[in-house]
Amino acid sequence: MIKKLTLMLIATSVISITGCQNEKIEQPEEGKRTHRLIVNAYPVSDTKTSVTAVSGGYQVSWDIGDQITLHECAPEAGEDEYDAIRTYNSEELTSNDILDNKASFVFSTMEDRTAPQFSYIATYGNSYAEYFDWSEEDYLYETWAETFDYSGEHLDPHMVINMNFPTEQAPLKESFDPYADLMVSDMQVMGEQMTGEASFRFARLGTIVKMTLVGLDDYAGWMANEMLFAVGESFNIPSRIIYDPVLHKYVHAMDEEARSDEGSGMPSELRIMGENIVINEDGTADVWLRLPSGELTDWFRLDIVLSDGTNDYDLARFVDLAKLGKTLVFKEGGMTTF
């Protein structure tokens, strides 16, 4: 199912986004000029990256160690089309980079190049950008149009963002796994290369979920070492998301295509390593997840491995939502509890 993503902009040079990649920026070739770039990132309601319990609920905010990735697309810069996109990773945030819920990310080596037009999009999470220079009759273009349910006038050239969705997550006791978050910005088009400072506002792909477990009184003080969250065919936990910054749409790209075959019945699963999750004295525990948005209408199952430090014990709970007449709604860009 195609999801529409609304991204909010501020001033004349604002976008939304966040990205976390570990690879180092390659040093420019000798003789090429570089410059510093500061990207100021502002949150839209719930943004990044840590969840903190506050009076009346939770606050989501940027955190020390966060990074974003900036994709710079300049297909007419004189390079081969496969080199049209340059990717720059920011330095990690320090405490001095976060002020009043605004984060200032520094890019220390932005290679200087010229072109009649530059397009920028930023991401948080493991991502890579691709550039397509296609005609309306190209097979790739037809495939893209079908994927995004597009029937408008021909769009070319084009940049698409691929984001890896983490199907293994490690939530903290009072927070989701920040490395499981995915955020993306609108695309900003400029007549010259971005320099100095720019401001972005971020939008989240999917939702943060807090699932509260109950009825575990006999296991108070035990630790939940590992969990498996499995869902029925009404909901998809993808391994990859493809985002189109022109259409402001994203789609799920499933590696396990067999699951979408009629009658396959293969469940979609999320593995959770929860060594920080301890069962409370009242038999409850909060489990944090990062999920795509959408509606779960048929069933879900939670398998848990509990440990008292010496012994392990396996528990499982199956919930037939269809039989109960209930639907779980995972709200786009926000926080969901159940």
Side-chain angles (χ1 to χ4, degrees), residues 51-60 174:
V51 176
T52 305
V54 296
S55 177
Y58 292 88
Q59 175 179 303
V60 187
E174 292 185 344

Side-chain angles (χ1 to χ4, degrees), residues 10-119:
I10 57 174
T12 58
S13 62
V14 178
I15 304 182
S16 30
I17 225 125
T18 103
C20 174
Q21 296 189 358
N22 295 324
E23 50 218 65
K24 300 294 184 181
I25 304 174
E26 294 184 3
Q27 293 300 316
E29 297 178 15
E30 186 175 352
K32 290 191 175 181
R33 189 165 63 89
T34 63
H35 56 81
R36 286 170 61 89
L37 172 68
I38 297 176
V39 171
N40 297 313
Y42 296 82
V44 179
S45 62
D46 293 333
T47 305
K48 220 355 247 149
T49 170
S50 61
V51 176
T52 305
V54 296
S55 177
Y58 292 88
Q59 175 179 303
V60 187
S61 57
W62 294 100
D63 204 0
I64 297 172
D66 286 343
Q67 293 177 267
I68 67 172
T69 301
L70 187 67
H71 302 287
E72 177 186 79
C73 184
E76 297 180 58
E79 298 111 349
D80 186 277
E81 66 176 72
Y82 294 104
D83 296 322
I85 294 177
R86 299 287 173 87
T87 295
Y88 303 98
N89 301 320
S90 75
E91 298 176 6
E92 293 186 357
L93 287 181
T94 68
S95 57
N96 295 329
D97 297 323
I98 307 171
L99 180 63
D100 296 331
N101 215 20
K102 179 196 77 173
S104 296
F105 293 90
V106 175
F107 295 82
S108 58
T109 56
M110 293 283 292
E111 182 180 310
D112 189 45
R113 58 177 178 164
T114 58
Q117 180 174 296
F118 291 86
S119 299

Side-chain angles (χ1 to χ4, degrees), residues 2 132 134-136 138-161 242-249 251:
I2 306 296
F132 298 99
W134 48 32
S135 70
E136 195 166 4
D138 284 348
Y139 170 75
L140 278 176
Y141 184 82
E142 294 174 355
T143 302
W144 165 85
E146 181 180 1
T147 300
F148 284 93
D149 192 26
Y150 178 76
S151 58
E153 63 181 71
H154 175 239
L155 290 176
D156 182 69
H158 216 64
M159 178 165 55
V160 174
I161 308 295
I242 304 174
Y243 175 70
D244 188 292
V246 174
L247 300 183
H248 291 185
K249 287 184 178 181
V251 296

